[in-house]
Structures are given as C-alpha cells and as structure tokens.
Amino acid sequence: MKTGVLALQGSFYDHVQSLEFIDQDYVLIKDTSDLSHVNSLILPGGESTSMIKIQENNDLFSELKKLIESGIPTLGTCAGLILLAKDVIDGETSLGVLNTVVERNAYGRQNQSFEGLVNLLGNKEMYCFIRAPKILSYEDSVTPIATIDNEVVGVIENNIVGLSFHPELTNDKNYLDWLSNFIKDGVNVRSL
Amino acid sequence: MKIESTFKIKKGLAEMLKGGVIMDVVNAEQAVIAEKSGAVAVMALERIPADIRAEGGVARMSSVETIQEVIDSVSIPVMAKARIGHFVEAQMLESLGIDFIDESEVLTPADDKNHIYKHDIKTPFVNGATDIGEACRRIGEGAAMIRTKGEAGTGNVIEAVKHMRSMTDGINKIKTSDQNELMSLAKEIRAPFDVVKEIHELGKLPVVNFAAGGIATPADAALMMQLGCDGVFVGSGIFKSGDPKERAEAIVIATTNYNDPDKLIEVSKNLGEPMVGINIDDLDEAEKLAKRGW
C-alpha cells in the first residue's frame, strides 16, 4: 500500500523526500485515477487557491474527501491544513473534514514569515512558517499536538493531522519517526 | 523563539510556488483574473514586457499605486520588479510588503557592473540566468530563486529552452566533476566556489529554478516542465492573447499535467488567438534583454 501525495502544485517533492527517508512507497496524486491503492495521504504546502482551481474540473476533491472520511491517516501542512479545515477565513473551504477554523496568511506576508521553535508532541524543533495559516479555534473532538509560545499550530482529529508549518522542509528525526508511525497506525500514535 | 526572513524562509516560499504559474499583471483587474485562474503568484508591473519592447524608453520599478492596488486585490503572493543593481527600488519594495522581488533584465539596468547584494533585504529575490555561472553568481549575492531569462515579450520559447538546457548541462558538469576540479571549474564559469561546491554535493541547484521569457501556450509551459524546471512565469503570453482568462487557466492545468498529452490537448482547445510572436533573429542585438546581467 502507498501514501498518496497530492501533487497539483506546491512542496510535494519535499514530502516525497520525507517518505523516501522512511522507505515508504508513494504515489503522486493529480487525478482521481491515482487514488487506488492509497491507504494514507499527504496534502502539501503551496497555494490553496491554486490547488482548488486545478482540480475543479475533475472532481478530485470529492473523491479525496470520501477517502479521508473512510479513516485513512491524513497529514496536511500549511496549504494542506487550509484544504482540510471546516472553516476558512479569507479563503475557500474545500475538503472541510477537520473541525477547525483556520485563517489564511494570518501570520502576515512573506516579510513576517519566520522559523520558530515548535513543541511537536513533546519535542522541540525549529520549523518554517511561510505565509502560514493560523488555527483560530477547534471543536472538542480536536486535540492540539503542536504549539509555539502556547499558541496551537498543529491539531489531530480522528486520523487527520493539520499543521500550520512545514516539517517537510526540516525532516528532523523526531518528525520522520512520528510520520513513519502515523502512516502505519494513524490515530493510535499520539506521542513519539 | 521566532526568527524572521532567514535564507531557509526565503527559499521556502519559492518551494511553495513549485509546479505553479506566476503571471504578469498591470492592475487589480488582471491580478484578480490571474488569481481566479489558479496562478500561484502575480508579478505587478507598470507595463508587460511586450509593451516595454514596443514602446521603448527607460523601464523602471512600477508605481507605488500600481503595486499597492495589486497587493490589496489578491490573497496570493505578490512579486514586483526592481532594476538590476537598483538597491533603493528593492528597499522600497521591501517596505511596501512585496513577497518576492525580481531583479529583472526586463527593466532598464541601473548599474552596469553590479547586481544588488540581496542578503541584507528581508524580502526574497528571484533573478534571471542564462547559464549555470550566472545562476551561481546570483545565488552568491543572495537570490532565493532562479529563473531562466528566455527573451521576455517575444512569445517565442526558444531562448528559454536554450537557457534551461544550458543550466542543466552546467549542473551535470558540476555534479560529475571530481572534487579536485571544482575550483578550476568555478573559475572557468566565473562562479563563487561555495555555491559550486554546494551544487556538487546536492546534485542540483540549491534553490528553485523556474522558466521564464517567451512562454505563450500550454504546450510551451509543459515543454519547460519536461525540460526540468520547477514552475513557470508567464508574462505577455496571457494578457496579450485573445482570451486571457481561458489561456491563463489552460497554462495552469498544463503546468500540473505536463506529462499528459491528452490533458494538454483538452486544455488547448478553444483558446482563441495566442500573442503574436517575434522571431529572435529579427531582434537587433541591443533589443535582446537576456544580455543584461553581469
């Protein structure tokens, strides 16, 4: 079985590199026909408006939504988090499978983008926030898994993880260990 | 702890633009069309390259009003051009909150010897290059993204292809050289040694490389992607064509599906007239923009 990496646009090759580090097979997803044999998913960083537009004529997102709702482990980073969120401020809701309210570009423009020390499941690491979305609120079914200065920047609900930042640009050992376990076991992996 | 505008953050935005199309726009209306068509970013300009070419005169940074209007109209990243070596235009673009500065040969150069020292400016830079040596020099100065120069405003892809192939050859040469040969190679291509060494170790450029200059059709965009670039800039090709919105959408879909001829056929139908192109041989040497840059 393979991890599907949404490959419409964005940092999908960086996620592919993470998967290569942990010896996980993958398939690039550009069309609904790429979805067979996928049992985990990664939605990369990039521009969510662009990704939504690119897939609109081939129904890819409605198929993706079904697949995510079937319970397979799904990770979204930055734009990927925006695609997953149920409510998007200053943007469009697309998959709407993660019970959070997210605001696009809420940390500011590129000049305000930063590397920040994130506590991800108990481990601290510098990660990149690039015109990052902010998690404004989330429902009780959602659990925070990452914080920066006490602000929540990553959450999990069922088997769905959304992160404001880009662990795929860092690929530190803790992240890769977590990713490896998450892809195999999903929700059972709540800590490192 | 938060650290703004590190080189990793500058490079990182370019990583997020990969596989996407960056479109030249001259006002808010065009910027909105570009965003709705799926552009990953827009380049705010006073005049598109084809008009700069036709009208002549000195081409400078866009007016503050144009840039502000474009920033206010879209939610995707906004880029703008500064003249080669004009570090004050760059400082102003930084203060305006632009997301990426293109130190561009399309504008009239402000310095005949030097490019901007880009490490000191918070905003990331993209620079044009015609070969690996030029790309290395720009990266050494702090560029966080490279694009081929091509020949802007011609609607003719031949120069972009030439520059992309030349870049790939250069990377392969560095990759396959023995490490004892790297200094001599760096001297030969007039490139900073540490950038050459980094390319040797990585086996590729340390920053994202887009194609630009002459891309006018979905097939042109797919061609550049198959030649190995990370994404495309489309300048005059969109808003100088018969139906800009249709063409913009088609080029976006083509850039994602560059390996799928059936999809390329589908999006290439009913696009209206492409921009009228210019044969490169018909240009005087002085009209060739790709020669600007040192």
Side-chain angles (χ1 to χ4, degrees), chain B residues 35-53:
Chain B
E35 182 175 45
K36 288 196 173 148
S37 306
V40 288
V42 291
M43 176 78 71
L45 282 160
E46 201 70 44
R47 293 178 286 170
I48 57 172
D51 290 335
I52 294 175
R53 206 174 263 293

Side-chain angles (χ1 to χ4, degrees), chain B residues 241-286:
Chain B
S241 73
D243 188 342
K245 182 152 200 310
E246 285 290 319
R247 185 162 295 265
E249 286 177 9
I251 292 177
V252 168
I253 306 280
T255 303
T256 296
N257 298 289
Y258 62 89
N259 266 331
D260 185 340
D262 292 334
K263 280 231 168 79
L264 296 176
I265 291 170
E266 198 184 309
V267 300
S268 298
K269 285 178 188 161
N270 304 318
L271 283 187
E273 286 298 308
M275 73 178 279
V276 179
I278 300 173
N279 195 328
I280 304 295
D281 294 336
D282 294 342
L283 293 175
D284 289 339
E285 281 306 300

Side-chain angles (χ1 to χ4, degrees), chain B residues 148 150-151 157-165 212-213 215 224:
Chain B
T148 62
E151 195 53 47
V157 80
I158 184 171
E159 296 297 298
V161 168
K162 194 197 284 179
H163 300 159
M164 193 64 212
R165 286 198 184 280
I215 295 160
M224 296 314 299

